[in-house]
């Protein structure tokens, strides 16, 4: 176990993170303790015990000090923690965290986040994703900024335009708690005797399934 810890700390050092010379990670017990730590270009990596938090996980986390960071503080998932002694800079979670939420899976790495979920269209070819911690329209937002929003249809490859389904993001709410997606179905209609066709798109039927990935901060 000790050899693994030494190897891990050496990896941190080679990656540009300052680690104390005694090869022991400093430990703080609470978020408040971490926020009060003095910061400098040589601020070491800290282990946060997190035994004071209401999430009940008790798993702890590893943070490093990023002096030029201005990310919004994330006190819901604790990926970004501000400092009580410095107006600039943030404590950033070092190791990726994966959480199973009511509406999907959230993967966090420092301030970056990806949310994976599945949707099914309504009769108008629409589907709405709640990007919140509890999966409701009014819960705590997972994102402050969204830079990628894509969905992939679930089902067999279309064999013609008549069973092809297209999707686009119709809207993103101003509070980043919801995205609405519109799905369209292709239609090809033969015109005249020359074999020409007119292609159009109408709202997809209900029960079209898709897997979606939303990325941001």
């Amino acid at each position: 176990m000790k050899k693994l810890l030494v190897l891990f700390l050496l990896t941190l050092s080679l990656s540009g993170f300052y680690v104390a010379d005694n090869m022991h990670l400093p430990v703080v017990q609470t978020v408040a303790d971490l926020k009060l730590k003095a910061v400098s270009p040589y601020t070491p990596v800290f282990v946060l015990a997190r035994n004071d938090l209401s999430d009940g996980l008790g798993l702890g986390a590893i943070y490093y000090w990023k002096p030029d960071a201005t990310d919004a503080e994330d006190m819901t998932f604790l990926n970004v923690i501000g400092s009580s002694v410095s107006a600039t800079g943030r404590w950033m979670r070092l190791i990726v965290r994966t959480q199973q939420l009511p509406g999907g899976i959230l993967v966090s790495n420092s301030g970056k986040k990806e949310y994976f979920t599945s949707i099914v269209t309504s009769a108008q070819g629409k589907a709405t994703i709640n990007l919140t911690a509890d999966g409701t329209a009014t819960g705590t937002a997972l994102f402050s900024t969204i830079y990628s929003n894509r969905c992939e249809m679930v089902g067999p490859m279309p064999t013609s335009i008549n069973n092809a389904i297209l999707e686009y993001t119709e809207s993103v709410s101003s509070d980043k708690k919801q995205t609405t997606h519109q799905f369209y179905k292709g239609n090809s209609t033969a015109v005249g005797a020359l074999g020409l066709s007119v292609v159009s798109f109408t709202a997809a039927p209900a029960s079209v399934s898709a897997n979606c990935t939303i990325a941001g901060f």
Side-chain angles (χ1 to χ4, degrees):
M1 183 67 181
K2 186 175 181 180
K3 290 182 179 179
L4 290 176
L5 177 59
V6 170
L7 179 61
F8 175 65
L9 296 179
L10 179 60
T11 302
L12 291 180
S13 298
L14 294 175
S15 300
F17 299 106
Y18 176 76
V19 179
D21 292 337
N22 59 9
M23 299 302 284
H24 291 286
L25 290 177
V27 177
V28 293
Q29 297 299 316
T30 68
V31 172
D33 291 340
L34 183 63
K35 291 167 73 74
L36 287 170
K37 283 294 179 181
V39 294
S40 76
Y42 302 103
T43 298
V45 173
F46 274 89
V47 172
L48 174 61
R50 297 203 310 153
N51 61 4
D52 70 328
L53 299 184
S54 59
D55 62 8
L57 296 177
L59 300 177
I62 299 176
Y63 290 84
Y64 68 96
W65 177 250
K66 188 175 181 181
D68 58 346
T70 57
D71 305 55
E73 191 173 46
D74 173 16
M75 296 307 291
T76 301
F77 302 105
L78 300 180
N79 296 307
V80 181
I81 297 177
S83 171
S84 298
V85 299
S86 176
T88 58
R90 298 289 186 271
W91 289 103
M92 312 295 285
R93 182 188 292 269
L94 180 60
I95 297 177
V96 173
R97 181 185 185 192
T98 300
Q99 295 169 275
Q100 178 67 62
L101 301 178
I105 297 174
L106 179 68
V107 178
S108 308
N109 188 7
S110 297
K112 304 178 185 68
K113 301 173 187 174
E114 284 188 296
Y115 185 65
F116 302 90
T117 189
S118 298
I119 56 178
V120 178
T121 60
S122 66
Q124 293 76 37
K126 291 182 184 288
T128 297
I129 300 174
N130 293 325
L131 300 174
T132 59
D134 62 3
T136 69
T138 58
T140 301
L142 301 180
F143 298 93
S144 58
T145 301
I146 294 174
Y147 62 77
S148 177
N149 192 348
R150 64 184 188 274
C151 294
E152 298 179 352
M153 260 53 67
V154 176
M157 180 71 69
T159 56
S160 73
I161 190 65
N162 288 322
N163 53 22
I165 302 290
L166 303 179
E167 175 272 340
Y168 81 97
T169 302
E170 184 177 86
S171 64
V172 178
S173 64
S174 59
D175 58 9
K176 307 301 185 292
K177 292 185 178 183
Q178 286 188 321
T179 59
T180 300
H181 303 261
Q182 177 67 61
F183 292 77
Y184 288 98
K185 178 180 178 298
N187 295 286
S188 177
T189 304
V191 178
L194 298 179
L196 300 178
S197 298
V198 175
V199 176
S200 62
F201 290 90
T202 58
S207 302
V208 172
S209 299
N211 294 326
C212 301
T213 303
I214 297 89
F217 295 91

